[in-house]
Amino acid sequence: MKPVYQAGRPTGCMAACVASILEVELNGVPDCFDARDASGKETWDHFAQRDWLAERDYGVVEFKLAEGAMWPPTGGMLCILSGPSPRDPNGTLHAVVARTLYDTTGPFELVHDPYWSGIHGPLMHQFFNGQEPTIVTFLVPVNDKICPVQVSEV
């Protein structure tokens, strides 16, 4: 993981998290990871994201977190946590890079906040307007052993 900040892309937290995990430059990650409509609502193009990641031999798995959900059981996995932005009371999401834990301290630990203030700390809720994260996203390496049939072949 190489920390990448969203500087120059005010709504670029998801793209910066993807860049951080894949260790690529921010300008190499397309806008489909942080697209918004005229009202400012997030309109991420999940098909474009899937296709861009597939070109790099990655897939994406996203889960909505239920209140108090404690998972996954495997510790040490990098992921992207999303939840209410601490800078926007209108429901915009903010994303950070986290690592899964499998111990009594909680299910995740913060690894990197791509917002240029560079806030870091042990409590996840401080990054999500005092609330818990609502979505966890994993970037999963895909190869013939894990995924023997390509999506286009199904």
Side-chain angles (χ1 to χ4, degrees), residues 9 14-16 18-19 24-34 52:
R9 277 172 90 164
M14 179 60 97
V18 170
V24 299
E25 297 297 322
L26 181 59
N27 61 8
V29 179
D31 288 337
C32 65
F33 286 93
D34 292 298
W52 185 85

Side-chain angles (χ1 to χ4, degrees), residues 81-86 88-93 123-134:
L81 290 179
S82 303
S85 172
D88 184 357
N90 298 320
T92 299
L93 296 179
L123 301 175
M124 291 307 303
H125 65 269
Q126 71 182 332
F127 300 97
F128 302 113
N129 239 2
Q131 301 175 43
E132 294 296 317
T134 56

Side-chain angles (χ1 to χ4, degrees), residues 1-77:
M1 202 286 302
K2 178 182 84 175
V4 173
Y5 293 91
Q6 67 189 71
R9 277 172 90 164
T11 60
C13 57
M14 179 60 97
C17 287
V18 170
S20 295
I21 291 173
L22 298 182
E23 299 184 347
V24 299
E25 297 297 322
L26 181 59
N27 61 8
V29 179
D31 288 337
C32 65
F33 286 93
D34 292 298
R36 296 183 187 277
D37 65 18
S39 71
K41 182 179 183 220
E42 286 134 342
T43 57
W44 299 344
D45 184 341
H46 292 285
F47 293 108
Q49 291 174 8
R50 180 200 64 197
D51 294 345
W52 185 85
L53 287 166
E55 290 171 5
R56 286 145 187 82
D57 295 324
Y58 278 86
V60 63
V61 179
E62 184 174 282
F63 298 96
K64 291 188 187 238
L65 293 172
E67 188 174 322
M70 291 288 293
W71 72 278
T74 303
M77 296 173 63

Side-chain angles (χ1 to χ4, degrees), residues 65-122:
L65 293 172
E67 188 174 322
M70 291 288 293
W71 72 278
T74 303
M77 296 173 63
L78 289 176
C79 60
I80 300 169
L81 290 179
S82 303
S85 172
R87 289 165 296 282
D88 184 357
N90 298 320
T92 299
L93 296 179
H94 180 54
V96 299
V97 178
R99 179 178 291 114
T100 59
L101 298 175
Y102 189 60
D103 59 29
T104 58
T105 62
F108 305 102
E109 73 173 333
L110 177 69
V111 174
H112 171 60
D113 182 357
Y115 189 68
W116 45 80
S117 67
I119 300 170
H120 288 82

